[in-house]
């Protein structure tokens, strides 16, 4: 339940604007990859191309390839809905469906995929996903209460449970901790560490300490100026990026000299 991602010559556009240029990356299964870089360098844009969410924006397009275990998700005849089932996504702000119960929130993605389940299958899946998201013990006695009644950190873990209930191969996270307090952030970081046993995880973060704590590999993107495309500057082991980067540009960014 974890796939390798090969990104080849990926250019990403909003209309005529080339937002990101020439990305090459190989992301191994069962690993955590962090995307870092200054605002506007294209981290979120790159992330959204990995489950074909980018093209939902009118005028948006890509050229190049994104291979999941060798199959191009942009290939002819590939249904983006199937891609999004294999590649789950968690957003910056926890977005549980406010009127749905905790249990129905967990099952929402599975139900969208119109998989029929018996009650006991639904109960089992709810428990498995909530355990996987490290939330089961906190909510097991109130599964029928609204998801909106949980704390921000619990809501974010509920969204992670909803994503993993669909049994994806890859999990994308776009600044999943930026709206959370330090304790909830640590809970999510611990969870990310557990999730990589089963999934390929790609996370966008503004927080370099977080990238250093949670990821195996880090991709540093940069932008030469407003209106210029973002570029992948260095993609390396996280320990190398933060202790002995190959590029001076990376060194300047991680040491706080710019960005
Ligand atoms: N919906 C959109 N329409 C047009 N341009 C967009 C859109 N979303 C992003 N962009 C542009 O694409 C470029 C990359 O944006 P993106 O949000 O991916 O950067 P980022 O590195 O994730 O930034 P941040 O750290 O501020 O979230 C920017 O120039 C941005 O203005």
């Amino acid at each position: 339940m974890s796939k390798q991602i090969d990104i080849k010559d990926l250019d990403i556009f909003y209309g005529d604007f080339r937002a990101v240029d020439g990305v090459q990356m190989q992301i191994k299964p069962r690993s955590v990859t962090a995307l870092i870089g200054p605002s506007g360098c294209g981290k979120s844009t790159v992330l959204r191309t990995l489950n074909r969410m980018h093209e939902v924006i009118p005028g948006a397009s890509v050229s190049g390839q994104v291979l999941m275990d060798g199959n191009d998700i942009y290939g002819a005849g590939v249904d983006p809905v199937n891609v999004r089932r294999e590649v789950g996504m968690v957003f910056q702000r926890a977005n549980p469906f406010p009127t749905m119960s905790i249990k129905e929130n967990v099952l929402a993605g599975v139900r969208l995929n119109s998989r029929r389940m018996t009650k006991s299958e639904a109960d089992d899946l709810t428990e498995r996903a909530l355990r996987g998201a490290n939330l089961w013990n906190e909510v097991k006695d109130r599964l029928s209460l609204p998801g909106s009644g949980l704390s921000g950190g619990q809501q974010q873990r509920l969204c992670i449970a909803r994503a993993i209930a669909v049994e994806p191969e890859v999990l994308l996270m776009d600044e999943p901790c930026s709206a959370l307090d330090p304790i909830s952030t640590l809970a999510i970081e611990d969870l990310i560490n557990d999730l990589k046993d089963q999934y390929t995880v790609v996370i966008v973060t503004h927080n370099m300490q977080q990238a250093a704590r949670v990821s195996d590999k880090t991709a540093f993107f940069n932008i030469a100026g407003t209106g210029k495309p973002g570029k992948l500057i260095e993609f390396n082991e996280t320990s190398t990026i933060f202790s002995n980067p190959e590029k001076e540009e990376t060194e300047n960014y991680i040491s706080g000299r710019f960005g």
Side-chain angles (χ1 to χ4, degrees):
M1 281 220 310
S2 177
K3 285 193 171 170
Q4 174 163 316
I5 308 170
D6 288 282
I7 304 174
K8 296 190 172 172
D9 299 320
L10 186 69
D11 304 325
I12 315 175
F13 301 87
Y14 292 99
D16 295 337
F17 173 53
R18 181 184 287 260
V20 181
D21 196 32
V23 179
Q24 311 273 359
M25 287 171 78
Q26 183 174 83
I27 299 174
K28 296 282 185 198
R30 295 192 183 80
S31 69
V32 178
T33 299
L35 311 185
I36 65 166
S39 187
C41 68
K43 304 176 292 295
S44 300
T45 297
V46 169
L47 195 75
R48 285 196 300 263
T49 61
L50 303 184
N51 71 345
R52 296 193 55 170
M53 284 287 281
H54 175 66
E55 69 206 50
V56 170
I57 297 162
S61 62
V62 305
S63 72
Q65 290 183 313
V66 176
L67 308 177
M68 299 270 168
D69 275 1
N71 299 315
D72 187 3
I73 64 170
Y74 289 96
V78 174
D79 181 349
V81 174
N82 287 337
V83 173
R84 290 175 207 137
R85 185 155 54 216
E86 287 200 339
V87 185
M89 192 156 189
V90 174
F91 299 88
Q92 196 165 353
R93 299 225 158 248
N95 54 353
F97 299 111
T99 55
M100 278 188 197
S101 69
I102 292 169
K103 180 178 171 187
E104 286 307 316
N105 262 288
V106 173
L107 298 174
V110 186
R111 298 227 198 272
L112 267 181
N113 290 322
S114 67
R115 210 173 94 195
R116 291 195 181 282
M117 279 179 293
T118 63
K119 178 170 181 315
S120 83
E121 281 171 341
D123 289 347
D124 287 351
L125 180 58
T126 303
E127 178 169 345
R128 204 162 61 238
L130 286 168
R131 281 192 190 280
N134 262 342
L135 188 59
W136 174 248
N137 286 333
E138 289 157 71
V139 301
K140 63 176 189 272
D141 299 324
R142 46 173 166 156
L143 294 175
S144 57
L145 297 183
S148 54
L150 299 175
S151 75
Q154 289 171 329
Q155 288 189 20
Q156 193 58 296
R157 279 178 285 148
L158 178 59
C159 293
I160 294 171
R162 183 173 67 195
I164 63 183
V166 185
E167 299 178 339
E169 315 275 350
V170 176
L171 267 182
L172 309 178
M173 299 186 165
D174 196 352
E175 296 187 49
C177 303
S178 65
L180 302 181
D181 63 78
I183 303 280
S184 305
T185 295
L186 277 183
I188 301 280
E189 289 182 2
D190 282 348
L191 174 56
I192 291 170
N193 198 40
D194 296 343
L195 290 171
K196 79 168 176 185
D197 289 344
Q198 285 190 63
Y199 306 101
T200 313
V201 180
V202 186
I203 174 173
V204 168
T205 178
H206 268 116
N207 180 330
M208 286 194 267
Q209 284 82 13
Q210 178 167 78
R213 282 192 298 263
V214 303
S215 69
D216 303 295
K217 291 189 93 170
T218 295
F220 168 60
F221 290 82
N222 206 354
I223 184 168
T226 314
K228 296 269 179 21
K231 286 181 189 292
L232 176 61
I233 305 299
E234 184 167 348
F235 178 44
N236 226 325
E237 299 297 324
T238 296
S239 54
T240 304
I241 291 276
F242 287 102
S243 60
N244 191 19
E246 282 169 9
K247 301 273 170 63
E248 195 180 349
E249 233 174 305
T250 316
E251 165 90 41
N252 288 343
Y253 183 74
I254 58 120
S255 61
R257 276 198 281 275
F258 110 103

